[in-house]
């Protein structure tokens, strides 16, 4: 198979996968309940670095509409909401608020690739420390 046929095959495949419906639902459910934040600063830092995956206030950027990236983004948002969701606070049984501070402190959250695409999620050392302290004050700590 020559290079032209391979390139055409890749282009056709890239177009065809756009019709797979997975990852296309970008509606945000209504907010059910929210936690009582310890401060407006914690709420803002959380909104910038965490809310796209851990709330019903997800901002769906253009790249989240293009497969196969859309599949990964959708999966990450669903998993994030299932694990810890501030828009269903006190209602969703699996909320792990007491783990939030340690996840941020240890660098496990936000996910390593998220800040590359979201400038507001790039936290300075001071912002990270403030977010960790605010998460501990809001949700507790394990």
């Amino acid at each position: 198979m020559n290079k032209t046929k391979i390139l055409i095959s890749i282009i056709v495949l890239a177009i065809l996968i756009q019709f797979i419906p997975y990852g296309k639902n970008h509606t945000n459910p209504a907010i059910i309940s929210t936690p009582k934040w310890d401060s407006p600063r914690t709420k803002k830092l959380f909104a910038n670095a965490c809310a796209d995956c851990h709330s019903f206030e997800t901002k769906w950027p253009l790249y989240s509409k293009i497969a196969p990236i859309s599949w990964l983004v959708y999966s990450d948002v669903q998993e994030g909401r299932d694990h810890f969701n501030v828009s269903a606070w006190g209602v969703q049984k699996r909320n792990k608020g007491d783990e939030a501070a340690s996840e941020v402190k240890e660098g496990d959250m936000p996910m390593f690739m998220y800040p590359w695409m979201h400038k507001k999620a790039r936290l300075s050392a001071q912002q990270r420390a403030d977010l960790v302290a605010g998460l501990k004050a809001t949700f507790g700590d394990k």
Side-chain angles (χ1 to χ4, degrees), residues 27-34 55-57 81 85-89:
T27 58
N28 288 321
I31 295 171
I32 300 167
S33 63
T34 59
S55 77
F56 291 152
E57 299 181 81
R81 287 175 176 175
N85 187 342
V86 298
S87 295
W89 197 252

Side-chain angles (χ1 to χ4, degrees), residues 22 38 40 44 55 62 72 81 84 92 105 107 110 114 138:
Y22 180 79
D38 78 306
K44 182 177 180 179
S55 77
L62 180 61
L72 177 63
R81 287 175 176 175
F84 175 63
Q92 187 172 320
K105 183 178 180 181
Y114 184 78
T138 302

